[in-house]
Amino acid sequence: MSQGTTVSLQQLFYTLPVRHKEFQRNIKKEFAKMIHVLQSYCVISTGVRITCSNQNGQGKRSTVLSTSGSQSMRDNIGAIFGPKQLQSLLPFHQVSPTENVLEEYGLRDTDLPHHFGRISGFVSHGEHGVGRSATDRQFFFINNRPCDPLKVIKLVNEVYHMYNRHQYPFVALNIAVASECVDVNVTPDKRQIFLQEEKLLLTILKSSLVAMYEAGVNKLSMNYTPSPSSSGDLHQGVSSNGSRDESAETVPAAILSPKTSLNLAGLKAAFSNHHGSRSSGEKASIGGPTQKTLQSFFQGPGRLSPSVKSPIKPPTAEAGRPTAGRSLLDGFRYGSRSGGDADSERESVVSACELTEAEADPGCSDPPEAAPDLSDRKHEPETAGSSEESQTEACIADGDPASPEAKRARTEDPQLRSARLQELDAPVRLQRRTVPLRFSLPALAARVKRLHDRQKQSGGAALRYRRFRAKIDPGENQSAEEELKKEISKDMFKEMEIIGQFNLGFIITKLNSDIFMIDQHASDEKYNFEMLQQHTAIQGQKLIAPQKLGLTAVSENVLIENIEIFRKNGFEFLIDEDAQVMERVRLVSLPTSKNWTFGPADIEELIFMLSDSPGVMCRPSRVRQMFASRACRKSVMIGTALSVGEMKKLVVHMGEIEHPWNCPHGRPTMRHLANLDVISQD
């Protein structure tokens, strides 16, 4: 070339036969990895035009990717991944770390350096449907050099999942720091790095991403102009007693303005300030109806008039209404106990005294039978005289809270105390039954002798061990599946002996000395699911006009090489080899099945799965959901009685599928119950 550089690679690993054979066996997977590395250099290399082509043998040379040499990273992304990807990108805006994030990472403002560096690039929007189904388009750079900072990658995906939990973002971030603050000589491929101020980088990155996504989500678009009548209702709220209700104050003007975008956090802050400006007197008035409701609950359907005051209580008796309510509650709570503490008894007697005074007042609207007579307690060993004396004493003590009589302990008659102790110490006569127990020393000796003989016979046998240790618990599902995979092979399902059916839902089987429990619905569902996966060809619906997909060169190559797998999934394409990159493949037919519809997102997911395992039959996740739903409906249900032959058929089917340990929805199909060798026969 007159200007530029041409790099040609031929006969890779030719002098290393073993490595060359392994490379040829995984040539498609290695090619995809190479293209991903090349894509990262194309994204960050501004002002340089990069073109990569591929030629298979004597076939036609095809362009894999190319850039236009633009001075913008955004233009490079559009040249590699198409204009559709650019529509979903946000430019990264760096902000200072917040106090909460600094505290999370154990940093303080005084310890931060004044100039750390600069982060630039692009990330995906947080809306669902904009992200990717995998992390195949995430590129990170340190001083324009591709790398894999594991903590940074983890942080970016965690923050993105706060706003879009089912997808992964497109990321292209360049971190520019001083060269003395980074060490790239950690691994031979220079992909792992060490940063001097790694925690500070994480705080800046997290604070910036949260600020970007918070500014774009949780917005309410208001297009509402209130009418004069509705505004009058908002501005003038009248309470039940005819006065202006303070709780119906005017709504902030920002809400009523037309075509306004409001942040949810701003709404919360506005209304918290709105309610926080109320006076303490208003808070007291708000608590009034609750207190009245409590009194009306204890006193009956009528409510106590506010004008009724006890002659014994001071003029501020209205403020003590909650105390009366609490004392009533305590009286009901401790009324059935014979030995309650002195404070609880005094409060209950005070409430009874107050209610008696209120009933005697002709101005009280409550019926006399509404208030329970708590002073008449026949189950307590106190006389009527002592009860009246304690009532008078409690009422006088409650009249003046500052007097020393209010805390004086109640004295008890010694005679009553001794009578109570005698009742408690009264002897109780118990009747005991005598049951004869049969015992024979010769029979016991014979049994011990049999145990010794059995141990001698089994002494030369192989040592037994517990092969299955996991419990039947959701927290141990993974360890239980690992044990089953290790100890149970597919041929063993045919050798299992059917013992019976338990609870019309589980099959009990025996293999040698192990007892297993099999879920009849989950096992049949998994068999039907895998059969649908392998043999079902989904019918496609023709489109009116071919649809452009805008796939990258690598994705187009994966699709063309695995075109039969796409056809089995119901996708049909029109392929033009002579067209330019990103326009060689067009969609002409989509799979449809009753209420299930599919689209380009399922194509991209299938391409990603085939790039890792080319040539292997696989299905998109939504197709798997459809098959799982069908398999569930056609399987044996819980509650169905099965014959021995039907149970044997379900068990044998488990040995004919690839993954028999759980159903498509995650339920376990089989668990180990017990080992007969461990259980004693005597």
Side-chain angles (χ1 to χ4, degrees):
M1 301 180 70
S2 59
Q3 183 179 0
T5 304
T6 300
V7 178
S8 176
L9 300 178
Q10 296 178 352
Q11 297 182 345
L12 288 176
F13 308 118
Y14 182 75
T15 58
L16 303 172
V18 177
R19 192 169 182 180
H20 183 265
K21 184 178 181 180
E22 184 71 14
F23 177 72
Q24 291 292 333
R25 189 169 65 90
N26 298 319
I27 187 66
K28 295 180 180 179
K29 187 181 297 185
E30 297 295 334
F31 178 76
K33 290 181 180 180
M34 181 200 70
I35 296 300
H36 187 270
V37 173
L38 187 58
Q39 286 175 347
S40 63
Y41 282 99
C42 291
V43 168
I44 197 63
S45 300
T46 57
V48 179
R49 197 183 79 166
I50 300 177
T51 302
C52 177
S53 60
N54 180 41
Q55 183 178 6
N56 293 323
Q58 300 297 324
K60 183 180 179 181
R61 182 184 299 272
S62 60
T63 302
V64 177
L65 56 85
S66 64
T67 60
S68 59
S70 173
Q71 298 292 333
S72 170
M73 180 190 292
R74 179 182 176 87
D75 294 340
N76 289 343
I77 295 174
I80 300 170
F81 302 109
K84 184 180 178 181
Q85 183 68 73
L86 294 178
Q87 298 174 3
S88 63
L89 296 185
L90 281 173
F92 184 86
H93 294 291
Q94 181 177 344
V95 299
S96 301
T98 60
E99 294 181 0
N100 294 335
V101 178
L102 288 174
E103 184 179 355
E104 180 182 349
Y105 285 90
L107 299 178
R108 294 178 297 181
D109 292 334
T110 57
D111 300 336
L112 301 181
H114 296 289
H115 300 285
F116 168 73
R118 182 175 178 271
I119 306 175
S120 60
F122 298 90
V123 292
S124 296
H125 282 282
E127 289 84 0
H128 182 75
V130 176
R132 306 278 302 168
S133 60
T135 59
D136 58 335
R137 293 187 184 178
Q138 295 188 357
F139 306 98
F140 297 89
F141 310 93
I142 297 289
N143 295 332
N144 297 333
R145 183 170 190 159
C147 62
D148 297 325
L150 300 180
K151 293 183 180 180
V152 174
I153 297 173
K154 181 181 178 182
L155 175 65
V156 172
N157 287 286
E158 286 179 352
V159 174
Y160 189 79
H161 285 163
M162 294 167 55
Y163 305 91
N164 185 352
R165 58 179 299 185
H166 299 293
Q167 291 182 308
Y168 296 91
F170 175 95
V171 184
L173 292 179
N174 180 37
I175 305 168
V177 295
S179 58
E180 60 269 14
C181 297
V182 59
D183 183 9
V184 298
N185 295 311
V186 179
T187 56
D189 58 358
K190 309 293 179 71
R191 302 288 294 189
Q192 301 298 325
I193 58 165
F194 285 159
L195 280 171
Q196 187 174 352
E197 299 289 347
E198 188 176 41
K199 286 187 177 181
L200 177 58
L201 170 64
L202 297 178
T203 57
I204 295 174
L205 198 58
K206 184 172 184 178
S207 301
S208 303
L209 289 173
V210 170
M212 290 167 54
Y213 290 132
E214 284 290 342
V217 298
N218 292 338
K219 281 192 174 182
L220 302 176
S221 297
M222 309 293 288
N223 190 7
Y224 170 69
T225 303
S227 61
S229 59
S230 62
S231 62
D233 294 339
L234 285 172
H235 284 272
Q236 295 180 356
V238 181
S239 62
S240 59
N241 58 1
S243 62
R244 183 175 181 271
D245 190 0
E246 295 289 340
S247 62
E249 292 180 0
T250 59
V251 181
I255 299 180
L256 301 180
S257 61
K259 298 181 180 180
T260 307
S261 282
L262 294 178
N263 191 285
L264 189 59
L267 279 175
K268 293 179 179 178
F271 279 102
S272 62
N273 296 334
H274 171 66
H275 291 290
S277 62
R278 294 181 178 179
S279 61
S280 59
E282 292 170 352
K283 294 181 180 177
S285 66
I286 292 173
T290 305
Q291 298 166 5
K292 289 183 181 180
T293 303
L294 183 61
Q295 283 191 350
S296 64
F297 172 75
F298 287 112
Q299 294 179 7
R303 288 186 288 181
L304 190 63
S305 175
S307 62
V308 176
K309 299 181 181 179
S310 176
I312 303 176
K313 305 281 285 183
T316 59
E318 283 189 10
R321 286 183 186 172
T323 308
R326 288 194 298 270
S327 62
L328 271 177
L329 186 60
D330 293 335
F332 281 113
R333 185 179 299 164
Y334 301 106
S336 60
R337 300 185 182 180
S338 61
D341 60 312
D343 295 336
S344 300
E345 282 190 9
R346 185 182 299 118
E347 289 182 3
S348 62
V349 173
V350 169
S351 63
C353 181
E354 291 175 3
L355 288 175
T356 306
E357 294 286 342
E359 290 171 4
D361 193 347
C364 181
S365 60
D366 291 338
E369 63 272 14
D373 189 6
L374 301 179
S375 61
D376 187 13
R377 299 182 182 179
K378 295 181 180 181
H379 58 275
E380 291 186 358
E382 294 184 0
T383 62
S386 63
S387 177
E388 292 175 0
E389 181 182 355
S390 63
Q391 285 185 16
T392 308
E393 178 185 351
C395 290
I396 293 173
D398 190 71
D400 186 7
S403 65
E405 298 293 334
K407 296 185 179 180
R408 187 178 64 183
R410 181 167 61 91
T411 59
E412 188 178 8
D413 191 357
Q415 295 181 359
L416 293 175
R417 181 182 179 87
S418 61
R420 185 183 298 172
L421 292 176
Q422 288 178 3
E423 290 180 3
L424 294 175
D425 295 340
V428 180
R429 185 174 182 180
L430 301 177
Q431 295 181 358
R432 298 184 178 181
R433 295 177 58 190
T434 303
V435 180
L437 179 64
R438 296 182 180 180
F439 176 75
S440 174
L441 188 60
L444 179 62
R447 185 174 179 180
V448 172
K449 184 178 179 182
R450 288 199 303 270
L451 289 175
H452 284 297
D453 294 342
R454 187 177 300 169
Q455 290 177 358
K456 290 180 181 179
Q457 292 176 2
S458 61
L463 294 176
R464 297 185 178 93
Y465 66 96
R466 291 180 59 188
R467 298 186 299 167
F468 304 95
R469 297 179 177 271
K471 299 179 182 178
I472 302 179
D473 186 88
E476 299 191 15
N477 281 343
Q478 184 176 0
S479 58
E481 290 180 13
E482 291 176 355
E483 290 177 351
L484 291 172
K485 290 178 183 178
K486 179 181 178 182
E487 301 293 341
I488 303 297
S489 62
K490 293 184 179 182
D491 297 334
M492 293 183 179
F493 287 100
K494 298 179 181 179
E495 303 173 2
M496 287 187 177
E497 176 185 355
I498 304 298
I499 297 178
Q501 187 183 23
F502 170 70
N503 204 25
L504 294 181
F506 301 94
I507 303 172
I508 308 300
T509 63
K510 177 177 178 291
L511 179 64
N512 299 329
S513 59
D514 291 306
I515 304 296
F516 297 94
M517 177 175 64
I518 298 176
D519 188 328
Q520 64 185 33
H521 175 72
S523 59
D524 194 25
E525 181 183 353
K526 189 56 180 288
Y527 174 79
N528 292 329
F529 173 76
E530 292 203 5
M531 294 299 105
L532 289 173
Q533 286 269 83
Q534 295 176 8
H535 306 296
T536 302
I538 305 177
Q539 300 297 324
Q541 176 67 42
K542 295 287 185 179
L543 301 179
I544 297 176
Q547 180 180 354
K548 294 182 179 180
L549 297 177
L551 299 176
T552 63
V554 179
S555 299
E556 286 179 343
N557 291 335
V558 173
L559 188 149
I560 293 171
E561 293 169 357
N562 299 274
I563 192 66
E564 288 298 326
I565 296 177
F566 281 92
R567 287 175 180 168
K568 288 184 179 180
N569 282 287
F571 295 98
E572 293 287 343
F573 301 96
L574 182 63
I575 299 175
D576 185 5
E577 295 285 350
D578 298 329
Q580 60 181 357
V581 179
M582 296 187 185
E583 295 182 2
R584 291 186 297 173
V585 178
R586 286 185 293 175
L587 179 66
V588 297
S589 177
L590 275 176
T592 57
S593 178
K594 295 183 180 179
N595 296 330
W596 295 83
T597 57
F598 305 91
D602 302 293
I603 298 175
E604 293 181 358
E605 182 183 3
L606 198 56
I607 289 174
F608 176 77
M609 297 168 65
L610 291 171
S611 61
D612 283 344
S613 53
V616 178
M617 180 60 194
C618 54
R619 305 279 189 178
S621 58
R622 298 184 69 250
V623 175
R624 287 175 53 88
Q625 293 176 10
M626 182 182 68
F627 285 159
S629 178
R630 290 183 181 179
C632 181
R633 289 195 298 267
K634 68 181 294 187
S635 301
V636 177
M637 296 298 175
I638 296 294
T640 304
L642 301 177
S643 63
V644 177
E646 292 172 335
M647 289 186 282
K648 183 67 176 179
K649 180 180 179 181
L650 294 180
V651 175
V652 172
H653 279 172
M654 293 186 67
E656 300 174 0
I657 56 181
E658 293 296 328
H659 305 284
W661 313 119
N662 49 34
C663 77
H665 299 103
R667 284 178 53 189
T669 58
M670 177 180 176
R671 285 294 179 265
H672 180 263
L673 284 181
N675 186 284
L676 299 180
D677 292 337
V678 178
I679 302 174
S680 175
Q681 298 294 331
D682 297 321

